[in-house]
Amino acid sequence: MFVGREEELKALEDVYGRAGFQMVVVYGRRRVGKTTLLDRFARGKRALYFTAQEESGIANLRRFSRLAYESFGVPATAGAFSSWSDALEYVASEAAKLEGPSLLVLDEFPYAAQADPSLPSELQIAIDHSFKGTNVTMVLCGSNEGFMEGEVLGSKSPLYGRRAAQIRLRPLDCMDVRDMLPGVSATDVVRYYATFGGTPYYVEQVDVAQSYDENVARLLFSTSGLLYAEPSMLLRQELREPALYNSVLSAVARGMTTPKGIAERAGVERVSVGRYLRVLVDLGILERRVPFGTNPNTTRRASYAMADPFFSFWYRFVGPSTDAVELGAGAAVAREVASSQSLPTYEGTQFERVCMEWLARRNAAGSLPFLATSFGRWWGTDPQAREQADIDVIAANRSRRALICGECKWRNSFDESGAIRTLEHRATLVDGPWDECHYYLFTKREVSEGTRGKARARDDLHVVTAEGMLG
């Protein structure tokens, strides 16, 4: 299913429509949908699509040679090229004879380059000389984000400065996940998103004919579950010390938010934990948060939290139960998790993410009261109440002195008037000044008629339900 990649597909088409040689770099974590995007992009185009594998350089070159010959009508019996340099020169010379544009995709490029370290340099020479006079659009794609950023996009790479565009593919937001789950209620879409996140491959495993509980038990709480070992597999693929990173993630999932607390809980040296945290932030698994309005480079109030809902759920509920799952009690553990009070609380924290994504979408569409230029969360001390306070979601335009503050309630019922009063008060704690302030109350269920009436009577109060966002 192709969902939610319209902007990335348009960017690829824009580059493809330019005259002359173009190179695009596409990268992102495994399972995020890179191949699906490139398959869609390649439709109807004259394309040579090669996917490298974790095998020897000779084996990869042999398969590329066969595909190259087939693409230009040469019998498959032709022998393999003796080097990548020869293979690339052949493709460029044949492409130069063609009228109109053509496409060359090198998928999982890191596998080929790691098997033959000379490949980036040979590719650079081919781009600068052989491909220079062609209308080839070359796409280098890879799941190893560290390699792609360092060895392809980095300033020390032979390929540095030759790209026309780069696309880092990230997980889908909840609104796109909704489109992948036809017939599922808005509240269940939020539950699925809170569990599987926005990685397309994970969401595709959901069987909408089954209940949420059945899907979670089948995919996550069984040794044969397709996603049971997914986090450890990804850490082993991306990182050199997966065990230490696993300990860091477990510490964050258990409520540690500061580098000091994370280091102590994970058993990692305090001087080293910063490096592990930065790598996990770069991978999109963790996020570094600072209160809205503070300088992220100088503040000492930064905290770390899970950025990917799937990893958050796995380390919160699955990871601590692996011993029981391995001993055959996975179904019982899944039932216990489903009936616990911890699950709705957890879903509430992920609902805040959904609300932030909805605000970002509305902002991009020009549908908020003003164009927001910054987003975030706020937390700090409420001097009047003499307690710690927070605001779930914030959007602002400082030059216009305009502010949006949002409260997210993942409950079937609550004191709606009290929530609005609290939100109005806490908005005064956000460093301003603000000439314009709007209040958003995001709810799991429909609010009372009285609250709806207040929102209708006021220009600055907005009530948005899960159904309103995702229905």
Side-chain angles (χ1 to χ4, degrees), residues 273-294:
V273 73
R275 174 169 60 86
Y276 297 116
L277 293 171
R278 283 193 297 273
V279 170
L280 291 168
V281 169
D282 288 343
L283 286 174
I285 298 175
L286 290 184
E287 61 184 347
R288 181 177 182 267
R289 296 176 174 177
V290 300
F292 183 86
T294 59

PDB file of all heavy atoms in Angstrom, residues 273-294:
ATOM      1  N   VAL A 273      27.652   8.398  27.995  1.00  0.00           N
ATOM      2  CA  VAL A 273      26.232   8.268  27.685  1.00  0.00           C
ATOM      3  C   VAL A 273      25.775   9.296  26.659  1.00  0.00           C
ATOM      4  O   VAL A 273      24.868   9.029  25.854  1.00  0.00           O
ATOM      5  CB  VAL A 273      25.387   8.357  28.973  1.00  0.00           C
ATOM      6  CG1 VAL A 273      25.353   9.794  29.506  1.00  0.00           C
ATOM      7  CG2 VAL A 273      23.978   7.845  28.727  1.00  0.00           C
ATOM      8  N   GLY A 274      26.405  10.477  26.635  1.00  0.00           N
ATOM      9  CA  GLY A 274      26.015  11.496  25.658  1.00  0.00           C
ATOM     10  C   GLY A 274      26.155  11.021  24.233  1.00  0.00           C
ATOM     11  O   GLY A 274      25.315  11.325  23.373  1.00  0.00           O
ATOM     12  N   ARG A 275      27.216  10.252  23.966  1.00  0.00           N
ATOM     13  CA  ARG A 275      27.427   9.742  22.604  1.00  0.00           C
ATOM     14  C   ARG A 275      26.323   8.764  22.226  1.00  0.00           C
ATOM     15  O   ARG A 275      25.798   8.805  21.105  1.00  0.00           O
ATOM     16  CB  ARG A 275      28.793   9.056  22.523  1.00  0.00           C
ATOM     17  CG  ARG A 275      29.059   8.365  21.195  1.00  0.00           C
ATOM     18  CD  ARG A 275      30.514   7.955  21.091  1.00  0.00           C
ATOM     19  NE  ARG A 275      30.901   7.036  22.151  1.00  0.00           N
ATOM     20  CZ  ARG A 275      30.733   5.707  22.063  1.00  0.00           C
ATOM     21  NH1 ARG A 275      30.179   5.178  20.984  1.00  0.00           N
ATOM     22  NH2 ARG A 275      31.119   4.923  23.048  1.00  0.00           N
ATOM     23  N   TYR A 276      25.963   7.874  23.148  1.00  0.00           N
ATOM     24  CA  TYR A 276      24.898   6.917  22.856  1.00  0.00           C
ATOM     25  C   TYR A 276      23.571   7.640  22.621  1.00  0.00           C
ATOM     26  O   TYR A 276      22.799   7.271  21.715  1.00  0.00           O
ATOM     27  CB  TYR A 276      24.755   5.918  24.004  1.00  0.00           C
ATOM     28  CG  TYR A 276      25.974   5.059  24.216  1.00  0.00           C
ATOM     29  CD1 TYR A 276      26.718   5.133  25.383  1.00  0.00           C
ATOM     30  CD2 TYR A 276      26.401   4.166  23.234  1.00  0.00           C
ATOM     31  CE1 TYR A 276      27.844   4.353  25.578  1.00  0.00           C
ATOM     32  CE2 TYR A 276      27.520   3.371  23.421  1.00  0.00           C
ATOM     33  CZ  TYR A 276      28.240   3.473  24.593  1.00  0.00           C
ATOM     34  OH  TYR A 276      29.359   2.695  24.771  1.00  0.00           O
ATOM     35  N   LEU A 277      23.314   8.658  23.418  1.00  0.00           N
ATOM     36  CA  LEU A 277      22.067   9.402  23.254  1.00  0.00           C
ATOM     37  C   LEU A 277      22.020  10.123  21.911  1.00  0.00           C
ATOM     38  O   LEU A 277      20.989  10.122  21.237  1.00  0.00           O
ATOM     39  CB  LEU A 277      21.905  10.406  24.401  1.00  0.00           C
ATOM     40  CG  LEU A 277      21.677   9.803  25.795  1.00  0.00           C
ATOM     41  CD1 LEU A 277      21.766  10.886  26.860  1.00  0.00           C
ATOM     42  CD2 LEU A 277      20.347   9.074  25.870  1.00  0.00           C
ATOM     43  N   ARG A 278      23.138  10.717  21.509  1.00  0.00           N
ATOM     44  CA  ARG A 278      23.166  11.431  20.221  1.00  0.00           C
ATOM     45  C   ARG A 278      22.913  10.482  19.061  1.00  0.00           C
ATOM     46  O   ARG A 278      22.177  10.818  18.123  1.00  0.00           O
ATOM     47  CB  ARG A 278      24.517  12.130  20.046  1.00  0.00           C
ATOM     48  CG  ARG A 278      24.669  13.409  20.853  1.00  0.00           C
ATOM     49  CD  ARG A 278      25.877  14.203  20.408  1.00  0.00           C
ATOM     50  NE  ARG A 278      27.113  13.468  20.629  1.00  0.00           N
ATOM     51  CZ  ARG A 278      27.805  13.485  21.765  1.00  0.00           C
ATOM     52  NH1 ARG A 278      27.372  14.192  22.798  1.00  0.00           N
ATOM     53  NH2 ARG A 278      28.946  12.813  21.867  1.00  0.00           N
ATOM     54  N   VAL A 279      23.492   9.294  19.113  1.00  0.00           N
ATOM     55  CA  VAL A 279      23.289   8.320  18.033  1.00  0.00           C
ATOM     56  C   VAL A 279      21.824   7.911  17.960  1.00  0.00           C
ATOM     57  O   VAL A 279      21.233   7.836  16.876  1.00  0.00           O
ATOM     58  CB  VAL A 279      24.187   7.086  18.244  1.00  0.00           C
ATOM     59  CG1 VAL A 279      23.806   5.970  17.273  1.00  0.00           C
ATOM     60  CG2 VAL A 279      25.657   7.452  18.054  1.00  0.00           C
ATOM     61  N   LEU A 280      21.208   7.661  19.100  1.00  0.00           N
ATOM     62  CA  LEU A 280      19.803   7.240  19.115  1.00  0.00           C
ATOM     63  C   LEU A 280      18.875   8.373  18.681  1.00  0.00           C
ATOM     64  O   LEU A 280      17.834   8.124  18.068  1.00  0.00           O
ATOM     65  CB  LEU A 280      19.424   6.740  20.511  1.00  0.00           C
ATOM     66  CG  LEU A 280      20.084   5.413  20.916  1.00  0.00           C
ATOM     67  CD1 LEU A 280      19.888   5.133  22.398  1.00  0.00           C
ATOM     68  CD2 LEU A 280      19.547   4.255  20.071  1.00  0.00           C
ATOM     69  N   VAL A 281      19.250   9.612  18.974  1.00  0.00           N
ATOM     70  CA  VAL A 281      18.479  10.756  18.473  1.00  0.00           C
ATOM     71  C   VAL A 281      18.611  10.835  16.957  1.00  0.00           C
ATOM     72  O   VAL A 281      17.624  11.056  16.241  1.00  0.00           O
ATOM     73  CB  VAL A 281      18.944  12.060  19.139  1.00  0.00           C
ATOM     74  CG1 VAL A 281      18.348  13.274  18.429  1.00  0.00           C
ATOM     75  CG2 VAL A 281      18.539  12.081  20.616  1.00  0.00           C
ATOM     76  N   ASP A 282      19.825  10.650  16.440  1.00  0.00           N
ATOM     77  CA  ASP A 282      20.039  10.697  14.994  1.00  0.00           C
ATOM     78  C   ASP A 282      19.244   9.614  14.273  1.00  0.00           C
ATOM     79  O   ASP A 282      18.787   9.817  13.143  1.00  0.00           O
ATOM     80  CB  ASP A 282      21.527  10.541  14.666  1.00  0.00           C
ATOM     81  CG  ASP A 282      22.340  11.773  15.041  1.00  0.00           C
ATOM     82  OD1 ASP A 282      21.728  12.836  15.236  1.00  0.00           O
ATOM     83  OD2 ASP A 282      23.575  11.654  15.159  1.00  0.00           O
ATOM     84  N   LEU A 283      19.070   8.469  14.926  1.00  0.00           N
ATOM     85  CA  LEU A 283      18.298   7.376  14.323  1.00  0.00           C
ATOM     86  C   LEU A 283      16.794   7.606  14.412  1.00  0.00           C
ATOM     87  O   LEU A 283      16.023   6.865  13.804  1.00  0.00           O
ATOM     88  CB  LEU A 283      18.642   6.045  15.009  1.00  0.00           C
ATOM     89  CG  LEU A 283      19.998   5.426  14.665  1.00  0.00           C
ATOM     90  CD1 LEU A 283      20.245   4.193  15.530  1.00  0.00           C
ATOM     91  CD2 LEU A 283      20.051   5.051  13.187  1.00  0.00           C
ATOM     92  N   GLY A 284      16.374   8.618  15.162  1.00  0.00           N
ATOM     93  CA  GLY A 284      14.944   8.876  15.299  1.00  0.00           C
ATOM     94  C   GLY A 284      14.268   7.983  16.312  1.00  0.00           C
ATOM     95  O   GLY A 284      13.032   7.902  16.345  1.00  0.00           O
ATOM     96  N   ILE A 285      15.054   7.304  17.156  1.00  0.00           N
ATOM     97  CA  ILE A 285      14.471   6.431  18.182  1.00  0.00           C
ATOM     98  C   ILE A 285      14.235   7.221  19.469  1.00  0.00           C
ATOM     99  O   ILE A 285      13.235   7.036  20.151  1.00  0.00           O
ATOM    100  CB  ILE A 285      15.379   5.217  18.439  1.00  0.00           C
ATOM    101  CG1 ILE A 285      15.518   4.389  17.155  1.00  0.00           C
ATOM    102  CG2 ILE A 285      14.820   4.356  19.565  1.00  0.00           C
ATOM    103  CD1 ILE A 285      16.499   3.239  17.265  1.00  0.00           C
ATOM    104  N   LEU A 286      15.168   8.114  19.802  1.00  0.00           N
ATOM    105  CA  LEU A 286      14.998   9.011  20.938  1.00  0.00           C
ATOM    106  C   LEU A 286      14.852  10.443  20.434  1.00  0.00           C
ATOM    107  O   LEU A 286      15.207  10.754  19.295  1.00  0.00           O
ATOM    108  CB  LEU A 286      16.206   8.941  21.878  1.00  0.00           C
ATOM    109  CG  LEU A 286      16.425   7.680  22.706  1.00  0.00           C
ATOM    110  CD1 LEU A 286      17.616   7.872  23.632  1.00  0.00           C
ATOM    111  CD2 LEU A 286      15.185   7.300  23.504  1.00  0.00           C
ATOM    112  N   GLU A 287      14.342  11.309  21.290  1.00  0.00           N
ATOM    113  CA  GLU A 287      14.323  12.735  20.992  1.00  0.00           C
ATOM    114  C   GLU A 287      14.786  13.507  22.215  1.00  0.00           C
ATOM    115  O   GLU A 287      14.539  13.101  23.353  1.00  0.00           O
ATOM    116  CB  GLU A 287      12.924  13.194  20.570  1.00  0.00           C
ATOM    117  CG  GLU A 287      11.841  12.992  21.604  1.00  0.00           C
ATOM    118  CD  GLU A 287      10.480  13.386  21.078  1.00  0.00           C
ATOM    119  OE1 GLU A 287      10.410  14.040  20.019  1.00  0.00           O
ATOM    120  OE2 GLU A 287       9.467  13.041  21.727  1.00  0.00           O
ATOM    121  N   ARG A 288      15.497  14.578  21.955  1.00  0.00           N
ATOM    122  CA  ARG A 288      15.947  15.479  23.025  1.00  0.00           C
ATOM    123  C   ARG A 288      14.948  16.619  23.118  1.00  0.00           C
ATOM    124  O   ARG A 288      14.709  17.342  22.151  1.00  0.00           O
ATOM    125  CB  ARG A 288      17.342  16.017  22.725  1.00  0.00           C
ATOM    126  CG  ARG A 288      17.916  16.946  23.791  1.00  0.00           C
ATOM    127  CD  ARG A 288      19.324  17.360  23.414  1.00  0.00           C
ATOM    128  NE  ARG A 288      19.951  18.217  24.428  1.00  0.00           N
ATOM    129  CZ  ARG A 288      19.922  19.538  24.419  1.00  0.00           C
ATOM    130  NH1 ARG A 288      19.290  20.184  23.419  1.00  0.00           N
ATOM    131  NH2 ARG A 288      20.523  20.234  25.364  1.00  0.00           N
ATOM    132  N   ARG A 289      14.356  16.780  24.290  1.00  0.00           N
ATOM    133  CA  ARG A 289      13.328  17.788  24.473  1.00  0.00           C
ATOM    134  C   ARG A 289      13.836  18.910  25.367  1.00  0.00           C
ATOM    135  O   ARG A 289      14.557  18.667  26.338  1.00  0.00           O
ATOM    136  CB  ARG A 289      12.083  17.184  25.115  1.00  0.00           C
ATOM    137  CG  ARG A 289      11.378  16.133  24.271  1.00  0.00           C
ATOM    138  CD  ARG A 289      10.209  15.545  25.046  1.00  0.00           C
ATOM    139  NE  ARG A 289       9.409  14.623  24.243  1.00  0.00           N
ATOM    140  CZ  ARG A 289       8.377  13.938  24.711  1.00  0.00           C
ATOM    141  NH1 ARG A 289       8.018  14.083  25.980  1.00  0.00           N
ATOM    142  NH2 ARG A 289       7.701  13.137  23.924  1.00  0.00           N
ATOM    143  N   VAL A 290      13.436  20.126  25.047  1.00  0.00           N
ATOM    144  CA  VAL A 290      13.695  21.267  25.928  1.00  0.00           C
ATOM    145  C   VAL A 290      12.383  22.029  26.063  1.00  0.00           C
ATOM    146  O   VAL A 290      11.558  22.029  25.149  1.00  0.00           O
ATOM    147  CB  VAL A 290      14.802  22.186  25.379  1.00  0.00           C
ATOM    148  CG1 VAL A 290      16.113  21.433  25.232  1.00  0.00           C
ATOM    149  CG2 VAL A 290      14.388  22.804  24.049  1.00  0.00           C
ATOM    150  N   PRO A 291      12.150  22.678  27.191  1.00  0.00           N
ATOM    151  CA  PRO A 291      10.910  23.446  27.346  1.00  0.00           C
ATOM    152  C   PRO A 291      10.823  24.540  26.280  1.00  0.00           C
ATOM    153  O   PRO A 291      11.822  25.192  25.954  1.00  0.00           O
ATOM    154  CB  PRO A 291      11.034  24.053  28.745  1.00  0.00           C
ATOM    155  CG  PRO A 291      12.022  23.190  29.461  1.00  0.00           C
ATOM    156  CD  PRO A 291      12.983  22.732  28.409  1.00  0.00           C
ATOM    157  N   PHE A 292       9.648  24.720  25.738  1.00  0.00           N
ATOM    158  CA  PHE A 292       9.441  25.746  24.717  1.00  0.00           C
ATOM    159  C   PHE A 292       9.921  27.097  25.233  1.00  0.00           C
ATOM    160  O   PHE A 292       9.635  27.497  26.355  1.00  0.00           O
ATOM    161  CB  PHE A 292       7.965  25.828  24.340  1.00  0.00           C
ATOM    162  CG  PHE A 292       7.675  26.816  23.250  1.00  0.00           C
ATOM    163  CD1 PHE A 292       7.785  26.454  21.929  1.00  0.00           C
ATOM    164  CD2 PHE A 292       7.327  28.122  23.559  1.00  0.00           C
ATOM    165  CE1 PHE A 292       7.543  27.367  20.921  1.00  0.00           C
ATOM    166  CE2 PHE A 292       7.075  29.044  22.565  1.00  0.00           C
ATOM    167  CZ  PHE A 292       7.188  28.667  21.235  1.00  0.00           C
ATOM    168  N   GLY A 293      10.671  27.787  24.379  1.00  0.00           N
ATOM    169  CA  GLY A 293      11.145  29.111  24.740  1.00  0.00           C
ATOM    170  C   GLY A 293      12.547  29.146  25.312  1.00  0.00           C
ATOM    171  O   GLY A 293      13.100  30.225  25.511  1.00  0.00           O
ATOM    172  N   THR A 294      13.133  27.968  25.584  1.00  0.00           N
ATOM    173  CA  THR A 294      14.500  27.937  26.097  1.00  0.00           C
ATOM    174  C   THR A 294      15.472  27.653  24.957  1.00  0.00           C
ATOM    175  O   THR A 294      15.105  27.063  23.934  1.00  0.00           O
ATOM    176  CB  THR A 294      14.660  26.861  27.183  1.00  0.00           C
ATOM    177  OG1 THR A 294      14.326  25.580  26.630  1.00  0.00           O
ATOM    178  CG2 THR A 294      13.749  27.147  28.357  1.00  0.00           C
TER     179      THR A 294
END
